[in-house]
Amino acid sequence: MKEHKTYKWGMIGCGSVAEVKSGPAYQKTDGFELFAVMGRTLSKAEDYAKRHGVPHFYDDADALINHPEIDAVYIATPPDTHEYYALKVAEAGKVCCIEKPMAPSYEACERINAAFSDKDVPLFVAYYRRSLPRFLKVKEWIDQEKIGGIRHIHWQFSKPANELDLSKAYNWRTDATIAPGGYFDDLASHGLDLFIFLLGDINRAEGTAENKLGLYSAKDFVTGKWSHESGITGYGTWNFGADKREDIVKVYGNKGNITFSVFGEYPIVLERDDERESLTIAHPKHIQLHHVQNIKSHLVGDVLHPSTGKTAANASWVMEQILQNNIKVINN
């Protein structure tokens, strides 16, 4: 791909994720400019643009995607529209980054990947934990065999129902037509993709999914188990109607273990024999900053980005198998 002095980005969607986590990261990355934003209504897009200093705003995605000055498009909408917009971006032949999860189904991920492959255009997915320093340290410990050979990984995640859940007001994150697994789709995707990054692709998965509280149409209690291609096993429980929040991951090796949180900024802890190392590594204010900077580095040929359409599709496949209540093996 021809290198640009500055890549002008258009952003489709200007909801909460774009306020602090992602939108400003594109503005703070050298060689990138957040050139335009599109919202469900023109007033929403205009409000975001004026508050964030974005020069152009639209309520028409096609106008943004096909703007001759826009080089790349960030899709920051709910997952049920990711494929719709991504195929338009691919057809326009422009670089793209899609919010996670990549799409509601593995088949949709495959269609998106095929479209960008046909155009030979880079496709990224916003699994930004692959670029965060705290998790790069965990990967370093694993790769250096600080705890020996890895045997198993376990994740326990729970949180209480929030006020929105209890009110039964509409929330796309718990609408089964958009996110069948509810918060599992939104939150567990981060951890499962991170585990793939740390331990390699997953090729076997199964699980159970239930709606225990009846507060919304999506599932609220999920369990899953999986196997990485290396033979490492994994198990997770996600409870979205618990009495308190809990987020604990433990990686078990034959010489020790590593403990960390997927979402919290608690210390990452390495334990081996009588040794214990604990490190606190803070996230940047704009948590997608390292992810976005890695996109720029990829585009200019400095590094390969760790989160692409291909890597993200594996996470979507795993979630799909866990929610389908039966076991399958992926064919590579």
Side-chain angles (χ1 to χ4, degrees), residues 163 175 191 204 210 258 296 304:
E163 290 184 7
D175 180 346
R204 191 174 178 89
E210 304 173 67
I258 299 169
K296 174 61 190 308
L304 292 178

Side-chain angles (χ1 to χ4, degrees), residues 155 183-193 238 240 263 319:
W155 185 19
Y183 292 114
F184 172 83
D185 290 358
D186 187 32
L187 301 177
S189 59
H190 274 294
L192 291 168
D193 178 80
W238 300 271
F240 300 104
F263 297 103
M319 291 189 296

Side-chain angles (χ1 to χ4, degrees), residues 161-162 165-169 211-217 220 240:
N162 58 36
D165 300 332
L166 296 172
S167 74
K168 296 190 177 182
N211 183 313
K212 290 181 174 291
L213 298 179
L215 297 175
Y216 39 74
S217 59
D220 59 25
F240 300 104

Side-chain angles (χ1 to χ4, degrees), residues 263-276:
F263 297 103
E265 293 186 70
Y266 306 111
I268 57 174
V269 179
L270 185 152
E271 296 175 294
R272 173 176 171 159
D273 298 325
D274 294 330
E275 301 175 14
R276 186 177 189 275

